[in-house]
């Protein structure tokens, strides 16, 4: 093979290699851009999921607090009613005692 043809083939091979390298670099850049885009999508989805989980947990905690508050109020109301019933049941007893004390004082004075 004559020397000019060899040089031409080498030049052609170099140009082809340059094209392959350029294409590989373009593919690399495209893949990197796609990976960055996907990473951003994953980050955004994760942030949204974290906000959703946070909101759900807050709602659950508020519901538990409301339930506990209602339970405490019910128990307090029951205790108040029990105290009122005990006090009412002792009204007659206290009245009798006061009348008895009064009668003793009246007898002492007469």
């Amino acid at each position: 093979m004559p020397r000019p043809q060899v040089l031409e083939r080498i030049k052609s091979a170099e140009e082809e290699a340059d094209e392959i390298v350029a294409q590989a670099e373009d593919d690399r850049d495209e893949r990197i851009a796609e990976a960055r885009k996907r990473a951003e999508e994953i980050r955004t989805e994760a942030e949204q999921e974290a906000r959703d989980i946070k909101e759900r947990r807050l709602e659950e905690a508020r519901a538990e607090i409301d339930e506990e508050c209602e339970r405490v109020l019910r128990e307090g109301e029951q205790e108040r009613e029990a105290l009122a019933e005990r006090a009412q049941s002792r009204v007659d007893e206290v009245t009798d005692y006061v009348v008895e004390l009064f009668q003793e004082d009246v007898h002492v004075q007469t």
Side-chain angles (χ1 to χ4, degrees):
M1 194 181 271
R3 192 169 171 87
Q5 287 178 335
V6 170
L7 289 176
E8 190 59 38
R9 287 188 71 192
I10 291 172
K11 185 178 178 182
S12 176
E14 285 177 346
E15 288 173 356
E16 187 177 331
D18 288 343
E19 288 176 13
I20 291 171
V21 167
Q23 182 63 43
E25 288 174 348
D26 288 344
D27 290 347
R28 179 200 65 203
D29 292 343
E30 186 177 317
R31 286 184 180 161
I32 289 171
E34 288 174 8
R36 285 186 176 139
K37 181 180 176 185
R38 182 63 187 136
E40 180 63 23
E41 290 170 357
I42 290 170
R43 185 186 62 79
T44 301
E45 290 171 5
E47 287 174 347
Q48 182 60 47
E49 185 177 343
R51 284 190 294 272
D52 293 345
I53 289 170
K54 174 186 167 188
E55 188 60 35
R56 189 171 55 248
R57 287 183 180 167
L58 282 172
E59 288 173 8
E60 290 170 358
R62 286 183 184 119
E64 287 177 18
I65 290 169
D66 288 345
E67 288 174 12
E68 180 66 13
C69 184
E70 289 298 319
R71 184 189 65 75
V72 168
L73 288 173
R74 279 192 310 273
E75 287 177 2
E77 180 64 21
Q78 290 171 349
E79 288 178 20
R80 186 197 63 78
E81 289 174 2
L83 285 170
E85 286 177 20
R86 278 194 317 198
Q88 185 61 38
S89 70
R90 296 191 66 191
V91 167
D92 290 339
E93 180 184 329
V94 170
T95 303
D96 290 343
Y97 177 72
V98 170
V99 168
E100 195 176 297
L101 286 176
F102 179 73
Q103 286 175 348
E104 287 175 6
D105 281 348
V106 168
H107 287 309
V108 168
Q109 290 178 5
T110 56

